[in-house]
Amino acid sequence: MNFNFKEIFTAFMVLFAVIDIIGNIPIIIDLRKKAGHIQSGKASLIAGFIMILFLFLGKSLLSLIGIDVNSFAVAGSFILFFIALEMILGITLYKDNGDINAITASVFPLAFPLIAGPGSLTTLLSLRAEFHIENIIVAVLLNITFLYLVLKTSSKIERILGPNGIQIIRKVFGVILLAISVKLFAANIKILFV
Protein backbone atom coordinates (compact mmCIF):
# COMPACT_ATOMS: atom_id res chain seq x y z
CA MET A 1 0.00 0.00 0.00
CA ASN A 2 1.37 3.37 -1.03
CA PHE A 3 -0.80 5.81 0.91
CA ASN A 4 0.52 9.32 0.46
CA PHE A 5 -1.23 12.31 2.01
CA LYS A 6 0.04 14.69 -0.68
CA GLU A 7 -1.30 12.47 -3.49
CA ILE A 8 -4.63 12.01 -1.70
CA PHE A 9 -4.97 15.75 -1.13
CA THR A 10 -4.01 16.64 -4.72
CA ALA A 11 -6.36 14.01 -6.20
CA PHE A 12 -9.13 15.17 -3.84
CA MET A 13 -8.68 18.81 -4.90
CA VAL A 14 -8.59 17.94 -8.61
CA LEU A 15 -11.78 15.86 -8.38
CA PHE A 16 -13.40 18.47 -6.13
CA ALA A 17 -12.68 21.15 -8.73
CA VAL A 18 -13.91 19.01 -11.64
CA ILE A 19 -17.08 17.81 -9.91
CA ASP A 20 -17.63 21.43 -8.77
CA ILE A 21 -20.34 20.51 -6.30
CA ILE A 22 -20.34 24.00 -4.75
CA GLY A 23 -20.72 25.61 -8.17
CA ASN A 24 -23.50 23.14 -8.97
CA ILE A 25 -25.61 24.08 -5.93
CA PRO A 26 -27.91 26.27 -8.08
CA ILE A 27 -28.43 23.30 -10.45
CA ILE A 28 -29.12 20.98 -7.49
CA ILE A 29 -31.67 23.40 -6.05
CA ASP A 30 -33.33 23.69 -9.45
CA LEU A 31 -33.45 19.87 -9.71
CA ARG A 32 -35.07 19.67 -6.25
CA LYS A 33 -37.75 22.13 -7.37
CA LYS A 34 -38.45 20.30 -10.64
CA ALA A 35 -38.24 16.74 -9.31
CA GLY A 36 -39.73 17.40 -5.90
CA HIS A 37 -37.10 15.34 -4.08
CA ILE A 38 -33.53 14.13 -4.57
CA GLN A 39 -32.23 11.07 -2.77
CA SER A 40 -28.83 12.35 -1.60
CA GLY A 41 -27.56 8.93 -0.47
CA LYS A 42 -28.59 7.18 -3.68
CA ALA A 43 -27.07 9.89 -5.89
CA SER A 44 -23.78 9.82 -3.91
CA LEU A 45 -23.49 6.01 -3.92
CA ILE A 46 -24.23 5.70 -7.64
CA ALA A 47 -21.77 8.46 -8.54
CA GLY A 48 -19.07 6.86 -6.36
CA PHE A 49 -19.72 3.42 -7.84
CA ILE A 50 -19.47 4.74 -11.41
CA MET A 51 -16.22 6.59 -10.68
CA ILE A 52 -14.49 3.67 -8.90
CA LEU A 53 -15.67 1.20 -11.56
CA PHE A 54 -14.29 3.44 -14.31
CA LEU A 55 -11.04 3.87 -12.37
CA PHE A 56 -10.49 0.09 -12.58
CA LEU A 57 -12.08 -0.76 -15.94
CA GLY A 58 -11.27 2.41 -17.84
CA LYS A 59 -7.64 1.43 -18.46
CA SER A 60 -8.65 -2.05 -19.75
CA LEU A 61 -11.25 -0.48 -21.99
CA LEU A 62 -8.65 1.90 -23.40
CA SER A 63 -6.18 -0.96 -23.95
CA LEU A 64 -8.88 -2.87 -25.77
CA ILE A 65 -9.21 -0.04 -28.30
CA GLY A 66 -5.45 0.62 -28.42
CA ILE A 67 -5.10 3.84 -26.42
CA ASP A 68 -2.53 4.21 -23.63
CA VAL A 69 -3.24 6.04 -20.35
CA ASN A 70 -0.81 8.87 -21.16
CA SER A 71 -2.62 9.68 -24.43
CA PHE A 72 -5.91 9.62 -22.56
CA ALA A 73 -4.40 11.89 -19.88
CA VAL A 74 -3.40 14.42 -22.56
CA ALA A 75 -6.93 14.30 -23.98
CA GLY A 76 -8.27 14.61 -20.43
CA SER A 77 -6.11 17.68 -19.83
CA PHE A 78 -7.94 19.39 -22.72
CA ILE A 79 -11.32 18.55 -21.17
CA LEU A 80 -10.13 19.89 -17.79
CA PHE A 81 -8.88 23.01 -19.57
CA PHE A 82 -12.30 23.67 -21.10
CA ILE A 83 -14.13 22.93 -17.82
CA ALA A 84 -11.80 25.44 -16.12
CA LEU A 85 -12.59 28.02 -18.81
CA GLU A 86 -16.32 27.49 -18.21
CA MET A 87 -15.79 28.05 -14.48
CA ILE A 88 -13.57 31.13 -14.84
CA LEU A 89 -15.40 32.87 -17.70
CA GLY A 90 -18.93 31.87 -16.68
CA ILE A 91 -19.71 30.38 -20.09
CA THR A 92 -21.33 27.06 -20.97
CA LEU A 93 -19.72 24.96 -23.67
CA TYR A 94 -21.91 21.89 -23.10
CA LYS A 95 -25.66 21.93 -22.55
CA ASP A 96 -27.93 19.00 -21.69
CA ASN A 97 -31.54 19.76 -22.59
CA GLY A 98 -33.01 16.46 -21.38
CA ASP A 99 -36.28 16.41 -19.43
CA ILE A 100 -36.13 15.79 -15.69
CA ASN A 101 -38.13 12.89 -14.33
CA ALA A 102 -38.90 12.99 -10.59
CA ILE A 103 -38.29 9.24 -10.21
CA THR A 104 -34.83 9.20 -11.79
CA ALA A 105 -33.54 12.70 -10.92
CA SER A 106 -31.19 11.28 -8.27
CA VAL A 107 -29.51 9.08 -10.87
CA PHE A 108 -29.89 11.13 -14.05
CA PRO A 109 -28.86 13.92 -14.41
CA LEU A 110 -27.44 14.27 -10.86
CA ALA A 111 -25.24 11.16 -10.30
CA PHE A 112 -24.55 10.89 -14.02
CA PRO A 113 -23.53 13.05 -15.88
CA LEU A 114 -23.43 16.00 -13.42
CA ILE A 115 -21.20 14.33 -10.79
CA ALA A 116 -19.72 11.25 -12.49
CA GLY A 117 -19.63 12.77 -15.94
CA PRO A 118 -17.09 13.01 -18.74
CA GLY A 119 -14.93 15.47 -16.81
CA SER A 120 -14.61 13.42 -13.62
CA LEU A 121 -14.18 10.09 -15.46
CA THR A 122 -11.47 11.53 -17.70
CA THR A 123 -9.85 13.07 -14.64
CA LEU A 124 -9.75 9.70 -12.86
CA LEU A 125 -7.79 8.08 -15.67
CA SER A 126 -5.57 11.14 -15.97
CA LEU A 127 -4.83 10.94 -12.23
CA ARG A 128 -4.14 7.23 -12.57
CA ALA A 129 -1.29 8.07 -14.93
CA GLU A 130 0.41 10.00 -12.10
CA PHE A 131 -0.80 8.69 -8.70
CA HIS A 132 -1.14 5.36 -6.90
CA ILE A 133 -4.61 3.88 -7.25
CA GLU A 134 -5.28 3.57 -3.49
CA ASN A 135 -4.71 7.32 -3.07
CA ILE A 136 -7.18 8.05 -5.87
CA ILE A 137 -9.79 5.73 -4.27
CA VAL A 138 -9.44 7.55 -0.94
CA ALA A 139 -9.81 10.88 -2.79
CA VAL A 140 -12.97 9.61 -4.54
CA LEU A 141 -14.46 8.41 -1.24
CA LEU A 142 -13.68 11.75 0.44
CA ASN A 143 -15.32 13.59 -2.46
CA ILE A 144 -18.39 11.34 -2.30
CA THR A 145 -18.69 11.93 1.45
CA PHE A 146 -18.40 15.68 0.93
CA LEU A 147 -20.85 15.45 -1.97
CA TYR A 148 -23.41 13.69 0.24
CA LEU A 149 -23.11 16.39 2.92
CA VAL A 150 -23.51 19.15 0.32
CA LEU A 151 -26.56 17.48 -1.25
CA LYS A 152 -28.16 17.13 2.19
CA THR A 153 -27.52 20.78 3.11
CA SER A 154 -27.58 22.49 -0.31
CA SER A 155 -30.33 24.96 0.61
CA LYS A 156 -28.52 26.07 3.77
CA ILE A 157 -25.19 26.40 1.93
CA GLU A 158 -26.80 28.54 -0.76
CA ARG A 159 -28.25 30.86 1.89
CA ILE A 160 -24.91 31.14 3.73
CA LEU A 161 -22.69 31.73 0.67
CA GLY A 162 -25.13 33.71 -1.43
CA PRO A 163 -24.81 34.03 -5.20
CA ASN A 164 -21.58 36.06 -5.01
CA GLY A 165 -19.89 33.58 -2.66
CA ILE A 166 -20.71 30.67 -4.96
CA GLN A 167 -19.33 32.58 -7.96
CA ILE A 168 -16.08 33.42 -6.14
CA ILE A 169 -15.54 29.79 -5.11
CA ARG A 170 -16.32 28.63 -8.65
CA LYS A 171 -13.75 31.03 -10.17
CA VAL A 172 -11.04 30.15 -7.63
CA PHE A 173 -11.46 26.43 -8.34
CA GLY A 174 -11.49 27.24 -12.06
CA VAL A 175 -8.03 28.81 -11.83
CA ILE A 176 -6.74 25.83 -9.79
CA LEU A 177 -8.19 23.43 -12.35
CA LEU A 178 -6.63 25.39 -15.22
CA ALA A 179 -3.18 25.11 -13.60
CA ILE A 180 -3.71 21.38 -12.99
CA SER A 181 -4.73 20.81 -16.62
CA VAL A 182 -1.53 22.51 -17.83
CA LYS A 183 0.58 20.38 -15.43
CA LEU A 184 -1.20 17.20 -16.52
CA PHE A 185 -0.65 18.05 -20.19
CA ALA A 186 3.04 18.83 -19.69
CA ALA A 187 3.74 15.68 -17.64
CA ASN A 188 2.08 13.31 -20.08
CA ILE A 189 3.07 14.90 -23.38
CA LYS A 190 6.75 14.37 -22.44
CA ILE A 191 6.16 10.64 -21.91
CA LEU A 192 4.48 10.30 -25.32
CA PHE A 193 7.50 11.74 -27.13
CA VAL A 194 10.23 9.89 -25.20
Side-chain angles (χ1 to χ4, degrees), residues 36-168:
H37 175 68
I38 289 176
Q39 296 172 334
S40 305
K42 184 178 181 181
S44 302
L45 286 173
I46 290 171
F49 176 76
I50 291 170
M51 291 197 297
I52 290 174
L53 187 70
F54 194 79
L55 181 64
F56 285 101
L57 297 181
K59 189 174 182 181
S60 302
L61 182 64
L62 290 177
S63 296
L64 188 66
I65 56 176
I67 299 171
D68 62 287
V69 174
N70 297 104
S71 298
F72 196 80
V74 169
S77 71
F78 286 115
I79 291 174
L80 295 180
F81 180 81
F82 288 118
I83 291 171
L85 286 181
E86 283 185 342
M87 292 167 73
I88 295 166
L89 301 176
I91 58 173
T92 304
L93 299 173
Y94 171 76
K95 288 186 180 180
D96 181 20
N97 295 323
D99 294 329
I100 297 169
N101 184 325
I103 299 167
T104 59
S106 299
V107 178
F108 182 85
L110 187 56
F112 181 84
L114 193 63
I115 298 163
S120 55
L121 297 180
T122 303
T123 301
L124 285 171
L125 285 189
S126 301
L127 289 172
R128 188 166 177 172
E130 279 192 60
F131 300 140
H132 291 98
I133 198 158
E134 55 268 24
N135 296 323
I136 300 170
I137 292 169
V138 171
V140 168
L141 295 175
L142 289 172
N143 266 288
I144 293 303
T145 303
F146 186 78
L147 168 73
Y148 173 76
L149 294 173
V150 169
L151 287 174
K152 276 300 218 195
T153 60
S154 58
S155 300
K156 291 177 188 172
I157 292 171
E158 188 194 31
R159 281 195 302 272
I160 292 167
L161 292 176
N164 291 335
I166 290 171
Q167 285 302 318
I168 290 168

Side-chain angles (χ1 to χ4, degrees), residues 163-183:
N164 291 335
I166 290 171
Q167 285 302 318
I168 290 168
I169 290 171
R170 191 176 172 98
K171 291 191 187 312
V172 167
F173 276 102
V175 172
I176 291 169
L177 191 58
L178 190 61
I180 290 166
S181 73
V182 171
K183 181 182 180 244

